């Protein structure tokens, strides 16, 4: 993939996940090319890639349109992420993690401890936790040494609200948000401990359990659609639960 097509693909995917297009909205090549400052060819190829990823669908009028997602699709993607990350953790535990990787994981743990250990977390603290959380999960997936795991995680990360920190904005608005974050970070500590002790099955189980907080956040968002739309504009792509 050349650099321009790659740039356009990243930009369009980011716009979709941030809710810049409404469900059913037509995605026309020429307006998109003008908006992105690109030629039509990389836009056309990027749209084809986004259809393959399942983010958009063919339009009855020709071309593509923004699709609507169901809450079950999001929950399914989150659950699959738990299974894949659990496998990555198990591989690290059974194969042995390099010292540099363990140092970087411990840096994440220390950084997260400082944030969640505060008496009260501010918005900047939540943002800092999101950055740390993304880095922690990226280190696990990239460090396990399995190319197939990384490809699957790249695909899941491109789905609405399936990435590791995608649902975290909801926690900044809830009374129990910091407690949930502390619970999630204790699991980070347990994951690293399991890796260091070579406890493969324990590491895998922790990875699968870890995503349950994301599913709880999803339920919370669905119960408060106006708040969710404010904190995560992309939620307008998710159909209300019947």
């Amino acid at each position: 993939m050349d650099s321009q097509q790659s740039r356009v693909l990243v930009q369009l995917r980011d716009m979709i996940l941030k809710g810049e297009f409404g469900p059913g909205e037509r995605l026309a090549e020429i307006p998109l090319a003008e908006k992105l400052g690109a030629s039509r060819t990389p836009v056309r190829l990027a749209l084809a890639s986004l259809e393959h990823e399942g983010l958009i669908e063919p339009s009855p009028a020709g071309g593509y349109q923004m699709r609507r997602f169901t809450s079950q699709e999001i929950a399914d993607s989150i659950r699959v992420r738990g299974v894949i990350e659990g496998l990555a953790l198990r591989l690290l535990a059974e194969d042995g993690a390099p010292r540099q990787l363990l140092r970087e994981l411990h840096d994440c743990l220390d950084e997260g401890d400082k944030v969640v250990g505060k008496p009260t977390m501010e918005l900047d603290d939540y943002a800092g936790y999101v950055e740390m959380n993304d880095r922690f999960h990226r280190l696990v997936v990239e460090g396990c040494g399995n190319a197939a795991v990384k490809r699957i995680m790249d695909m899941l990360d491109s789905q609405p609200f399936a990435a590791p920190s995608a649902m975290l904005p909801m926690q900044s608005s809830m009374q129990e948000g910091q407690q949930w974050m502390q619970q999630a970070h204790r699991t980070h500590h347990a994951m690293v401990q399991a890796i260091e002790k070579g406890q493969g099955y324990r590491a895998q189980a922790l990875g699968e359990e870890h995503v349950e907080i994301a599913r709880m956040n999803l339920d919370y968002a669905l119960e408060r659609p106006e708040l969710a739309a404010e904190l995560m504009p992309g939620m307008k792509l998710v159909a209300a639960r019947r």
Side-chain angles (χ1 to χ4, degrees):
M1 184 182 297
D2 63 40
S3 59
Q4 187 181 41
Q5 184 189 345
S6 179
R7 175 181 63 82
V8 169
L9 178 60
V10 169
Q11 286 179 304
L12 279 176
R13 187 189 293 120
D14 187 60
M15 291 167 68
I16 289 170
L17 298 181
K18 288 181 177 177
E20 295 193 25
F21 307 107
E25 182 174 344
R26 191 162 181 268
L27 304 174
E29 288 179 18
I30 295 177
L32 287 174
E34 292 175 351
K35 186 172 186 176
L36 298 173
S39 61
R40 292 180 61 181
T41 299
V43 171
R44 185 184 309 118
L45 294 172
L47 289 171
S49 295
L50 292 171
E51 182 195 12
H52 180 71
E53 291 178 11
L55 285 177
I56 62 177
E57 61 188 3
S59 168
Y64 299 97
Q65 66 182 22
M66 195 61 241
R67 60 167 294 208
R68 183 180 288 278
F69 297 84
T70 67
S71 58
Q72 187 61 52
E73 285 180 288
I74 308 301
D76 288 345
S77 294
I78 291 172
R79 185 178 183 184
V80 171
R81 177 167 62 80
V83 172
I84 300 302
E85 286 195 342
L87 173 59
L89 287 160
R90 178 180 171 183
L91 292 173
L92 280 171
E94 293 180 345
D95 297 341
R99 290 183 180 178
Q100 178 60 32
L101 175 60
L102 290 173
R103 281 194 291 268
E104 292 181 49
L105 289 173
H106 275 285
D107 286 343
C108 290
L109 296 180
D110 292 342
E111 188 176 333
D113 288 341
K114 293 176 184 176
V115 173
V116 302
K118 291 184 175 183
T120 303
M121 289 177 62
E122 305 294 336
L123 284 177
D124 286 347
D125 296 320
Y126 280 97
Y129 184 89
V130 165
E131 184 178 339
M132 179 283 300
N133 188 60
D134 285 338
R135 186 166 68 254
F136 182 92
H137 289 273
R138 185 171 61 251
L139 286 169
V140 168
V141 170
E142 294 180 352
C144 78
N146 188 304
V149 164
K150 187 175 185 308
R151 282 197 301 272
I152 294 171
M153 285 304 302
D154 286 343
M155 184 273 291
L156 289 172
D157 285 347
S158 72
Q159 299 300 301
F161 308 108
S165 298
M167 297 303 302
L168 285 181
M170 290 305 299
Q171 291 184 228
S172 65
S173 68
M174 66 174 71
Q175 186 175 0
E176 308 90 342
Q178 185 169 351
Q179 296 175 7
W180 287 16
M181 211 161 273
Q182 290 169 339
Q183 178 183 337
H185 196 55
R186 284 194 292 270
T187 305
H188 289 154
H189 276 273
M191 289 172 174
V192 174
Q193 183 187 68
I195 291 171
E196 291 177 325
K197 291 186 174 183
Q199 298 170 330
Y201 286 107
R202 178 182 175 222
Q204 184 172 11
L206 286 166
E208 295 186 21
E209 174 65 24
H210 189 54
V211 298
E212 287 306 308
I213 290 181
R215 295 176 68 181
M216 291 164 62
N217 280 332
L218 174 62
D219 289 339
Y220 183 79
L222 292 169
E223 292 167 2
R224 297 160 180 80
E226 293 184 0
L227 176 61
E230 179 183 342
L231 295 174
M232 302 182 301
M235 277 300 291
K236 70 182 181 182
L237 297 174
V238 182
R241 180 178 290 162
R242 295 182 179 181

